[in-house]
Amino acid sequence: MERAIALSIENVRSGSGGPFAALVVRDGSILATGTNQVTTLLDPTAHAEVVAIRAACQAARNFQLIDCELYTTCEPCPMCMGAIYWARLAKVYYANTRDDAARVGFDDSLIYDQLALPPGQRKIPMYQLMREQALEAFREWQRSPAKVKY
């Protein structure tokens, strides 16, 4: 965690992004690091955890990190939580809380609130279209002998 905190402070001082950093660790060794690069890359998904998970998957040559742990300087946001579960990390350690982040301008409460609402009641309108046609991709997936389950 000390390394993650140092990276987060360095990220702020260098002007590279927000005050967040994360490490993916396997067997006590750092497999990959990530810092918040949202404003640098102009990518709203470039949160420290996502950057670290992407790099770790490349280093591990696997889309699952079941034998790895994540150290992150802040309680993960909803997007990063999704990435953590998809990567199947074994454990997550965090330093700052989401309330700490909100106090300095990184408030994810709207997203948490929106996720609890039915799609039709969310702030960004969501409309379902062409479900029957889209189900064909799922049927193809079910029939495919070449699929990689995840």
Side-chain angles (χ1 to χ4, degrees), residues 17-29:
F20 306 96
L23 311 172
V24 175
V25 174
R26 178 192 282 159
D27 298 325
S29 297

Side-chain angles (χ1 to χ4, degrees), residues 19 25 33 35 45 50 52 54 68 74 90 96 101 107 110 128 147:
V25 174
T33 66
T35 57
T45 69
V50 172
R54 288 174 180 164
C68 297
C74 192
N96 295 316
D107 188 355
L110 172 70
Q128 186 175 25
K147 68 181 167 229

Side-chain angles (χ1 to χ4, degrees), residues 11-12 17-20 36-39 47 74-78 96-112:
N11 204 48
V12 172
F20 306 96
N36 178 281
Q37 299 176 25
V38 170
T39 57
H47 288 201
C74 192
E75 182 180 354
C77 75
N96 295 316
T97 68
R98 63 180 169 183
D99 293 330
D100 295 330
R103 281 192 287 279
V104 296
F106 297 95
D107 188 355
D108 296 326
S109 62
L110 172 70
I111 299 169
Y112 286 105

Side-chain angles (χ1 to χ4, degrees), residues 7 9 15 20 37 43 52 72 76 88 91 98 102 111 135 138 145:
L7 284 172
I9 293 168
F20 306 96
Q37 299 176 25
D43 178 354
T72 181
R88 292 169 175 75
K91 291 181 186 173
R98 63 180 169 183
I111 299 169
L135 283 171
F138 287 171

Side-chain angles (χ1 to χ4, degrees), residues 72-92:
T72 181
T73 58
C74 192
E75 182 180 354
C77 75
M79 177 184 67
C80 293
M81 284 295 292
I84 288 163
Y85 277 95
W86 279 114
R88 292 169 175 75
L89 286 150
K91 291 181 186 173
V92 175

